Amino acid sequence: MSPQPIEHTAPAKPMQLLQQVGCQWRSKVRGISTLHTLYWGPNGNLSWPFADADATSPSIAGHPSPATACADFESWCAAHPDSEVRIFVSGHLLHSLVVDPTMQLADDAAVSAYAQQQFGHYHGVAARQWPLAVWSHQNKTQRQSGACALHGVDMSALQNAARGHGVRVRSVSPVWSAGLSSVTSRWSEVALKNSVHAVALIEGSLLTWMLLQSGMVMALEQRYLDAPNWPAALRLVAQLSAESGPLATPAAVVAWGLPARTDATEARHSTQPSSIEAAVGAWPADEGDCRAMRAWVLDAVGSTHMAT
């Protein structure tokens, strides 16, 4: 499948075009590779060029560059030779766990060993070889940590595809980590410290549920919807909210892979999002779909990386 631009933007003005061309020319002269951000979903890849912070380009000036869809990473690399990419992996391709703080694991090595043991116990011996990402947060009172494991993705094939086309993989991160800073920035520091908030990231039929306190992920689990639609999504969000105990605000919901809301009752549901929200269609995404994914994956570089 050849790459296709699937997001439409307003025509760029002559000055914007000159700025874009000038930025590209400066990058070539300085030997700087184009950096892309890629969402690795269960049905394909979607990517966006990500301009350098010091570059004056349409993507920064409110005119985002079109998204590019590819069936697989090999095709993406062939279409973007000699570039750099940071990859955010869909929850459909991950298993995740959060370590109970009372275990007091000393460091990342201990967390990694514990995660390998747990994944192996629940998913078989082969799971001990899954690529792992270990993450941790430390505050004055405790250290919170966890791990994510890739499954269904051949890291060797990823590395070979990248090397074959001169692509540098900067990072591979779980997609749930990408946009958390946007969500937490909407809650005051006092509220974050003294109460529990929830974020539901929905990718079609899969919901990743996160509980946060003081900006730290305290719990994380993945649940499947009864059906990939808004009524099922809101029912599950309501159920998880009740199971999680008192929340400071209704859960923040970020979603793609769902049909657009058609029932006004759904929009007034008590779990109406308190932050980024988008309901998007089936893959490959249309313009509205791309806007939702881009807002999430371009929010910040994920702090949880898997070794490549």
Side-chain angles (χ1 to χ4, degrees):
M1 175 178 174
S2 60
Q4 301 176 26
I6 58 178
E7 183 170 353
H8 304 286
T9 58
K13 297 178 180 179
M15 181 57 69
Q16 293 167 347
L17 290 173
L18 286 174
Q19 290 172 339
Q20 185 176 28
V21 172
C23 179
Q24 293 171 346
W25 180 82
R26 287 194 299 272
S27 294
K28 289 181 179 179
V29 170
R30 291 155 55 190
I32 299 175
S33 301
T34 302
L35 174 61
H36 299 264
T37 298
L38 184 146
Y39 167 68
W40 192 321
N43 301 312
N45 301 324
L46 200 65
S47 71
W48 298 263
F50 187 77
D52 291 323
D54 63 344
T56 304
S57 73
S59 62
I60 290 181
H63 298 272
S65 301
T68 298
C70 284
D72 52 57
F73 188 63
E74 174 73 38
S75 299
W76 188 91
C77 290
H80 301 84
D82 303 316
S83 60
E84 299 186 25
V85 62
R86 55 179 189 169
I87 300 172
F88 289 102
V89 182
S90 166
H92 286 276
L93 305 173
L94 295 172
H95 286 296
S96 301
L97 64 83
V98 175
V99 177
D100 184 341
T102 60
M103 294 187 65
Q104 298 183 339
L105 299 181
D107 51 28
D108 287 352
V111 173
S112 180
Y114 172 74
Q116 287 177 332
Q117 187 273 331
Q118 290 295 301
F119 289 134
H121 175 74
Y122 288 103
H123 303 287
V125 176
R128 294 177 180 269
Q129 304 304 316
W130 285 344
L132 277 179
V134 173
W135 56 268
S136 63
H137 299 286
Q138 179 72 53
N139 62 20
K140 294 180 179 179
T141 59
Q142 69 179 33
R143 179 178 185 267
Q144 184 65 59
S145 59
C148 293
L150 266 176
H151 67 90
V153 176
D154 187 335
M155 289 295 284
S156 296
L158 180 151
Q159 293 169 333
N160 291 336
R163 281 194 295 265
H165 297 282
V167 172
R168 178 191 172 198
V169 179
R170 280 197 177 184
S171 62
V172 183
S173 309
V175 73
W176 60 257
S177 72
L180 287 179
S181 64
S182 270
V183 176
T184 58
S185 69
R186 302 193 177 211
W187 299 316
S188 70
E189 185 176 346
V190 173
L192 276 173
K193 182 177 181 180
N194 297 324
S195 55
V196 177
H197 294 76
V199 179
L201 177 63
I202 302 171
E203 304 172 81
S205 60
L206 180 69
L207 185 152
T208 300
W209 180 254
M210 293 164 276
L211 294 178
L212 297 92
Q213 186 170 14
S214 301
M216 299 195 306
V217 177
M218 306 299 294
L220 185 152
E221 63 176 307
Q222 295 175 314
R223 301 278 287 272
Y224 283 94
L225 309 182
D226 293 333
N229 57 46
W230 273 105
L234 294 176
R235 284 197 301 272
L236 184 53
V237 168
Q239 176 187 334
L240 290 168
S241 297
E243 292 174 356
S244 299
L247 299 176
T249 61
V253 179
V254 183
W256 54 77
L258 300 179
R261 296 189 190 190
T262 56
D263 185 346
T265 302
E266 295 175 18
R268 296 194 301 270
H269 195 279
S270 62
T271 57
Q272 184 173 357
S274 60
S275 59
I276 304 172
E277 175 194 359
V280 303
W283 193 278
D286 61 20
E287 182 177 349
D289 306 353
C290 296
R291 193 177 300 117
M293 295 182 190
R294 186 184 67 236
W296 184 258
V297 301
L298 294 186
D299 178 66
V301 177
S303 59
T304 305
H305 303 320
M306 297 168 187
T308 60

